[in-house]
Amino acid sequence: MGELLKPYVISNVGMSLDGKLATIDNDSRISGEEDLKRVHNIRKNVDGIMVGIGTILKDDPRLTVHKIDAKIGDNPIRIVIDSNLRIPLNARVLNKDAKTIIATTLKDTPNKIEKINKLKDMENVEIIRTGIEKVNLKKLMEILYKKGIKKILLEGGGTLNWGMFKENLVDEVSVYVAPKIFGGVGAPTYVDGEGFKTVDECVKLKLEKYYPFDEGIVLEFKVKK
Ligand SMILES: NC(=O)C1=CN([C@@H]2O[C@H](COP(=O)(O)OP(=O)(O)OC[C@H]3O[C@@H](n4cnc5c(N)ncnc54)[C@H](O)[C@@H]3O)[C@@H](O)[C@H]2O)C=CC1
Ligand SMILES: Nc1nc(O)c(N)c(N[C@@H]2O[C@H](COP(=O)(O)O)[C@@H](O)[C@H]2O)n1
């Protein structure tokens, strides 16, 4: 079998020192303005920004380059991973500021068919279908690569991050760690999902760079392949 041709994937989050992406009440204001500008500089230099539907439902993000000087044409393609097509039709990620790809499964329900038809009427929206119960992330990466998406910024949340790390689809990690502790067993962490059972199986990283930033620290790693 040939090597998987896939986009280069950078995973970025802002997290508390205890690895949380938000508090138990879903307050995710972790990064300060400087860190958000750092993230938007990464956004400006990738072809796609990817998030899971959990993040859309909780944060209603725009996923555009809006914290630094940029033109609408600088906006990368937004990619939402949404197995059951739960995306609200008024989600900000569906606005006209950029193109949006919604990746969903091949499984049909009457509600899903109706939603797909509505989404197809939106000129900036494209739907890609792969996988049965969950979006098949490996196949999706191949499809995106063939469409010319060569570099992706993965912006979470914890469930999608797990899916991407488990399938060995992440190439680089860049995290801002804030000097804050949130606690809470139910608060989302950088990587959730079912987790690896042994240290042997886990994703191994090579530390490349670290520097104090805002009130915290930025850590950059390459994923060992
Ligand atoms: N501080 C930060 O930098 C960030 C914080 N967040 C926080 O993370 C939380 C959202 O995270 P989650 O609830 O975990 O949702 P998520 O954004 O990770 O989306 C998870 C959803 O992705 C879908 N999915 C489809 N196929 C999948 C696959 N193969 N593997 C994995 N997922 C698949 C599933 O429907 C699943 O429910 C929010 O509280 C948000 O505020 C999110 C992004 C960045
Ligand atoms: N880097 C980073 N730091 C934080 O503290 C965050 N809460 C996030 N969240 C991510 O950014 C999205 C918001 O994007 P827009 O400003 O609306 O374009 C949010 O949905 C998370 O993916 N990131």
Side-chain angles (χ1 to χ4, degrees):
M1 274 224 309
E3 193 194 335
L4 176 74
L5 284 177
K6 67 162 206 72
Y8 185 85
V9 176
I10 305 167
S11 157
N12 185 88
V13 291
M15 66 183 184
S16 61
L17 181 60
D18 50 334
K20 308 292 188 189
L21 298 187
T23 65
I24 47 161
D25 270 357
N26 199 48
D27 188 345
S28 63
R29 292 169 300 161
I30 297 168
S31 299
E33 276 303 302
E34 278 313 298
D35 189 52
L36 292 176
K37 283 183 186 154
R38 179 188 67 82
V39 177
H40 284 236
N41 269 305
I42 308 177
R43 284 185 179 185
K44 201 173 169 177
N45 288 294
V46 294
D47 306 309
I49 306 172
M50 186 163 116
V51 299
I53 185 63
T55 298
I56 297 293
L57 295 175
K58 285 178 181 151
D59 295 350
D60 194 19
R62 279 173 280 178
L63 302 184
T64 55
V65 186
H66 57 87
K67 295 275 178 193
I68 55 171
D69 279 345
K71 303 181 289 296
I72 276 208
D74 290 330
N75 286 328
I77 296 178
R78 304 173 288 197
I79 304 155
V80 179
I81 310 302
D82 184 5
S83 300
N84 299 311
L85 225 48
R86 290 184 287 155
I87 190 163
L89 292 171
N90 62 353
R92 296 203 295 177
V93 78
L94 296 176
N95 70 20
K96 295 217 164 65
D97 291 350
K99 191 178 161 188
T100 301
I101 289 176
I102 300 171
T104 191
T105 57
L106 292 158
K107 206 169 162 181
D108 272 335
T109 60
N111 280 352
K112 201 168 172 185
I113 295 169
E114 200 185 319
K115 190 90 163 267
I116 286 178
N117 288 333
K118 286 184 179 154
L119 288 164
K120 276 188 178 160
D121 283 344
M122 297 181 173
E123 65 190 43
N124 57 326
V125 176
E126 183 182 349
I127 296 178
I128 295 177
R129 303 187 72 177
T130 173
I132 307 295
E133 293 303 325
K134 281 195 285 190
V135 171
N136 184 323
L137 296 171
K138 255 189 186 152
K139 287 211 175 117
L140 175 67
M141 288 298 122
E142 284 183 298
I143 296 168
L144 294 176
Y145 188 87
K146 282 190 191 139
K147 284 183 174 292
I149 299 176
K150 301 284 156 63
K151 206 174 199 186
I152 288 180
L153 175 62
L154 168 64
E155 287 206 48
T159 308
L160 178 62
N161 288 344
W162 162 252
M164 290 292 287
F165 276 113
K166 184 188 63 165
E167 297 291 352
N168 197 20
L169 295 171
V170 180
D171 300 283
E172 198 177 307
V173 165
S174 153
V175 292
Y176 168 73
V177 182
K180 292 174 180 146
I181 290 179
F182 291 173
V185 108
T189 72
Y190 176 30
V191 184
D192 287 322
E194 61 259 35
F196 296 109
K197 290 195 169 59
T198 66
V199 175
D200 289 339
E201 294 165 274
C202 79
V203 175
K204 281 124 191 138
L205 310 172
K206 179 175 180 292
L207 182 62
E208 295 274 318
K209 202 169 157 189
Y210 56 95
Y211 49 95
F213 204 66
D214 261 350
E215 297 174 329
I217 185 166
V218 172
L219 302 168
E220 295 178 3
F221 304 85
K222 285 268 157 56
V223 177
K224 289 187 183 170
K225 297 283 180 183

CSV table of all heavy atoms in Angstrom, one decimal, residues 6 12-13 41 44 74-75 80 87 92 96 101 111 114 122 135 160 162 175 187 196-197 200 213 220:
chain,number,residue,atom,x,y,z
A,6,LYS,N,-1.7,13.3,2.5
A,6,LYS,CA,-2.6,14.0,3.4
A,6,LYS,C,-2.0,15.4,3.7
A,6,LYS,O,-0.8,15.6,3.5
A,6,LYS,CB,-2.8,13.3,4.7
A,6,LYS,CG,-1.6,13.2,5.6
A,6,LYS,CD,-1.9,12.9,7.0
A,6,LYS,CE,-0.9,13.4,8.0
A,6,LYS,NZ,-0.9,14.8,8.2
A,12,ASN,N,-3.4,23.2,17.4
A,12,ASN,CA,-3.1,24.3,18.3
A,12,ASN,C,-4.3,24.4,19.3
A,12,ASN,O,-5.5,24.3,18.9
A,12,ASN,CB,-3.0,25.6,17.6
A,12,ASN,CG,-2.7,26.8,18.5
A,12,ASN,OD1,-1.5,27.0,18.8
A,12,ASN,ND2,-3.7,27.4,19.1
A,13,VAL,N,-4.0,24.7,20.5
A,13,VAL,CA,-5.1,25.0,21.5
A,13,VAL,C,-4.5,26.0,22.5
A,13,VAL,O,-3.3,26.2,22.6
A,13,VAL,CB,-5.6,23.8,22.3
A,13,VAL,CG1,-6.4,22.8,21.5
A,13,VAL,CG2,-4.4,23.1,23.1
A,41,ASN,N,-2.1,34.4,13.0
A,41,ASN,CA,-1.0,34.4,12.1
A,41,ASN,C,-0.8,33.0,11.5
A,41,ASN,O,-0.5,32.8,10.4
A,41,ASN,CB,0.3,34.8,12.8
A,41,ASN,CG,0.5,36.3,12.6
A,41,ASN,OD1,0.5,36.8,11.5
A,41,ASN,ND2,0.6,37.0,13.7
A,44,LYS,N,-3.6,32.5,9.0
A,44,LYS,CA,-3.4,33.1,7.7
A,44,LYS,C,-2.5,32.3,6.8
A,44,LYS,O,-2.5,32.5,5.6
A,44,LYS,CB,-2.7,34.5,8.0
A,44,LYS,CG,-2.9,35.5,6.9
A,44,LYS,CD,-2.3,36.9,7.4
A,44,LYS,CE,-2.2,37.8,6.2
A,44,LYS,NZ,-1.7,39.1,6.7
A,74,ASP,N,-7.8,36.2,2.4
A,74,ASP,CA,-6.8,35.5,3.2
A,74,ASP,C,-7.4,34.4,4.1
A,74,ASP,O,-6.7,33.6,4.7
A,74,ASP,CB,-6.1,36.4,4.2
A,74,ASP,CG,-5.2,37.4,3.5
A,74,ASP,OD1,-4.7,37.1,2.4
A,74,ASP,OD2,-5.1,38.6,4.0
A,75,ASN,N,-8.7,34.3,4.1
A,75,ASN,CA,-9.4,33.3,5.0
A,75,ASN,C,-9.2,31.9,4.4
A,75,ASN,O,-9.6,31.7,3.3
A,75,ASN,CB,-10.9,33.6,5.2
A,75,ASN,CG,-11.1,34.8,6.1
A,75,ASN,OD1,-10.4,35.0,7.0
A,75,ASN,ND2,-12.2,35.6,5.8
A,80,VAL,N,-15.6,21.6,9.1
A,80,VAL,CA,-16.3,21.2,10.3
A,80,VAL,C,-16.6,19.7,10.3
A,80,VAL,O,-17.1,19.2,9.3
A,80,VAL,CB,-17.6,21.9,10.5
A,80,VAL,CG1,-18.4,21.5,11.7
A,80,VAL,CG2,-17.4,23.4,10.5
A,87,ILE,N,-25.0,20.8,12.8
A,87,ILE,CA,-24.7,22.2,12.7
A,87,ILE,C,-25.9,23.1,12.5
A,87,ILE,O,-26.8,22.8,11.7
A,87,ILE,CB,-23.7,22.4,11.5
A,87,ILE,CG1,-23.2,23.9,11.5
A,87,ILE,CG2,-24.3,22.1,10.1
A,87,ILE,CD1,-21.9,24.0,10.6
A,92,ARG,N,-22.1,30.8,12.8
A,92,ARG,CA,-21.3,31.8,12.2
A,92,ARG,C,-20.3,31.3,11.2
A,92,ARG,O,-19.9,31.9,10.3
A,92,ARG,CB,-20.6,32.6,13.3
A,92,ARG,CG,-21.5,33.4,14.2
A,92,ARG,CD,-20.9,34.5,14.9
A,92,ARG,NE,-19.8,34.1,15.8
A,92,ARG,CZ,-19.0,35.0,16.5
A,92,ARG,NH1,-19.2,36.3,16.3
A,92,ARG,NH2,-18.1,34.5,17.3
A,96,LYS,N,-20.6,34.2,5.0
A,96,LYS,CA,-20.0,34.3,3.6
A,96,LYS,C,-18.5,34.7,3.6
A,96,LYS,O,-17.9,34.9,2.6
A,96,LYS,CB,-20.8,35.2,2.8
A,96,LYS,CG,-22.2,34.8,2.5
A,96,LYS,CD,-22.7,35.1,1.1
A,96,LYS,CE,-23.9,34.4,0.7
A,96,LYS,NZ,-25.1,34.7,1.4
A,101,ILE,N,-16.3,23.6,4.4
A,101,ILE,CA,-16.6,22.2,4.1
A,101,ILE,C,-17.2,21.6,5.3
A,101,ILE,O,-16.6,21.7,6.4
A,101,ILE,CB,-15.3,21.5,3.7
A,101,ILE,CG1,-14.8,22.0,2.3
A,101,ILE,CG2,-15.4,20.0,3.7
A,101,ILE,CD1,-13.5,21.5,1.8
A,111,ASN,N,-34.0,13.6,8.6
A,111,ASN,CA,-33.6,14.9,9.1
A,111,ASN,C,-32.3,15.3,8.4
A,111,ASN,O,-32.1,16.5,8.0
A,111,ASN,CB,-33.3,15.0,10.6
A,111,ASN,CG,-34.6,15.1,11.3
A,111,ASN,OD1,-35.7,15.3,10.7
A,111,ASN,ND2,-34.6,14.9,12.6
A,114,GLU,N,-32.8,16.3,4.7
A,114,GLU,CA,-33.4,17.7,4.6
A,114,GLU,C,-32.3,18.7,4.9
A,114,GLU,O,-32.2,19.7,4.1
A,114,GLU,CB,-34.5,17.7,5.6
A,114,GLU,CG,-35.5,18.8,5.4
A,114,GLU,CD,-36.5,18.9,6.5
A,114,GLU,OE1,-36.9,17.9,7.0
A,114,GLU,OE2,-36.8,20.1,6.9
A,122,MET,N,-26.6,26.8,0.1
A,122,MET,CA,-25.7,27.9,0.5
A,122,MET,C,-24.5,27.9,-0.4
A,122,MET,O,-23.8,26.8,-0.5
A,122,MET,CB,-25.2,27.7,2.0
A,122,MET,CG,-26.4,27.8,2.9
A,122,MET,SD,-25.8,27.6,4.6
A,122,MET,CE,-27.2,28.0,5.5
A,135,VAL,N,-17.2,10.3,11.1
A,135,VAL,CA,-16.5,10.7,9.9
A,135,VAL,C,-15.2,9.9,9.9
A,135,VAL,O,-14.5,9.8,10.9
A,135,VAL,CB,-16.2,12.2,10.0
A,135,VAL,CG1,-15.3,12.6,8.8
A,135,VAL,CG2,-17.5,13.0,9.9
A,160,LEU,N,-12.3,15.7,18.8
A,160,LEU,CA,-11.7,15.6,17.5
A,160,LEU,C,-10.2,15.5,17.6
A,160,LEU,O,-9.6,14.7,16.8
A,160,LEU,CB,-12.1,16.9,16.7
A,160,LEU,CG,-11.5,16.9,15.3
A,160,LEU,CD1,-12.0,15.7,14.4
A,160,LEU,CD2,-11.8,18.2,14.6
A,162,TRP,N,-8.5,13.9,19.8
A,162,TRP,CA,-8.3,12.4,20.0
A,162,TRP,C,-8.4,11.7,18.7
A,162,TRP,O,-7.5,10.9,18.3
A,162,TRP,CB,-9.3,11.9,21.0
A,162,TRP,CG,-9.3,10.4,21.0
A,162,TRP,CD1,-10.4,9.6,20.5
A,162,TRP,CD2,-8.3,9.4,21.4
A,162,TRP,NE1,-10.0,8.3,20.6
A,162,TRP,CE2,-8.8,8.1,21.1
A,162,TRP,CE3,-7.0,9.6,21.9
A,162,TRP,CZ2,-8.1,7.0,21.4
A,162,TRP,CZ3,-6.3,8.4,22.2
A,162,TRP,CH2,-6.8,7.2,21.9
A,175,VAL,N,1.0,24.6,21.5
A,175,VAL,CA,0.0,24.9,22.5
A,175,VAL,C,0.4,26.1,23.3
A,175,VAL,O,1.6,26.3,23.6
A,175,VAL,CB,-0.3,23.7,23.4
A,175,VAL,CG1,-1.0,22.6,22.7
A,175,VAL,CG2,1.0,23.3,24.1
A,187,ALA,N,-14.5,18.8,32.7
A,187,ALA,CA,-14.1,19.9,31.8
A,187,ALA,C,-13.3,19.3,30.6
A,187,ALA,O,-12.5,18.4,30.8
A,187,ALA,CB,-13.2,20.9,32.6
A,196,PHE,N,-5.3,6.1,25.0
A,196,PHE,CA,-4.4,4.9,24.8
A,196,PHE,C,-4.4,4.1,26.1
A,196,PHE,O,-4.4,4.7,27.2
A,196,PHE,CB,-3.0,5.3,24.4
A,196,PHE,CG,-3.0,6.0,23.0
A,196,PHE,CD1,-2.8,7.4,22.9
A,196,PHE,CD2,-3.3,5.3,21.9
A,196,PHE,CE1,-2.7,8.0,21.7
A,196,PHE,CE2,-3.3,5.9,20.6
A,196,PHE,CZ,-3.0,7.3,20.5
A,197,LYS,N,-4.2,2.8,26.0
A,197,LYS,CA,-4.2,2.0,27.2
A,197,LYS,C,-2.8,1.9,27.8
A,197,LYS,O,-2.6,1.7,29.0
A,197,LYS,CB,-4.7,0.6,26.9
A,197,LYS,CG,-6.2,0.6,26.6
A,197,LYS,CD,-6.7,-0.9,26.6
A,197,LYS,CE,-8.2,-0.9,26.6
A,197,LYS,NZ,-8.8,-0.2,25.4
A,200,ASP,N,3.3,2.7,25.7
A,200,ASP,CA,3.9,2.3,24.4
A,200,ASP,C,3.1,2.7,23.2
A,200,ASP,O,3.6,3.1,22.2
A,200,ASP,CB,4.0,0.7,24.3
A,200,ASP,CG,5.1,0.2,25.3
A,200,ASP,OD1,6.0,1.0,25.6
A,200,ASP,OD2,5.0,-1.0,25.6
A,213,PHE,N,5.1,33.7,26.8
A,213,PHE,CA,4.2,34.4,25.9
A,213,PHE,C,3.0,34.9,26.7
A,213,PHE,O,2.4,34.1,27.5
A,213,PHE,CB,3.8,33.6,24.7
A,213,PHE,CG,3.4,34.3,23.5
A,213,PHE,CD1,4.3,35.1,22.8
A,213,PHE,CD2,2.1,34.3,23.1
A,213,PHE,CE1,3.9,35.9,21.7
A,213,PHE,CE2,1.7,35.0,22.0
A,213,PHE,CZ,2.6,35.8,21.3
A,220,GLU,N,6.1,24.1,21.4
A,220,GLU,CA,6.0,23.6,20.0
A,220,GLU,C,6.7,22.3,19.9
A,220,GLU,O,7.8,22.1,20.3
A,220,GLU,CB,6.5,24.6,19.0
A,220,GLU,CG,5.8,25.9,19.0
A,220,GLU,CD,6.3,27.0,18.0
A,220,GLU,OE1,7.3,26.7,17.3
A,220,GLU,OE2,5.8,28.1,18.0
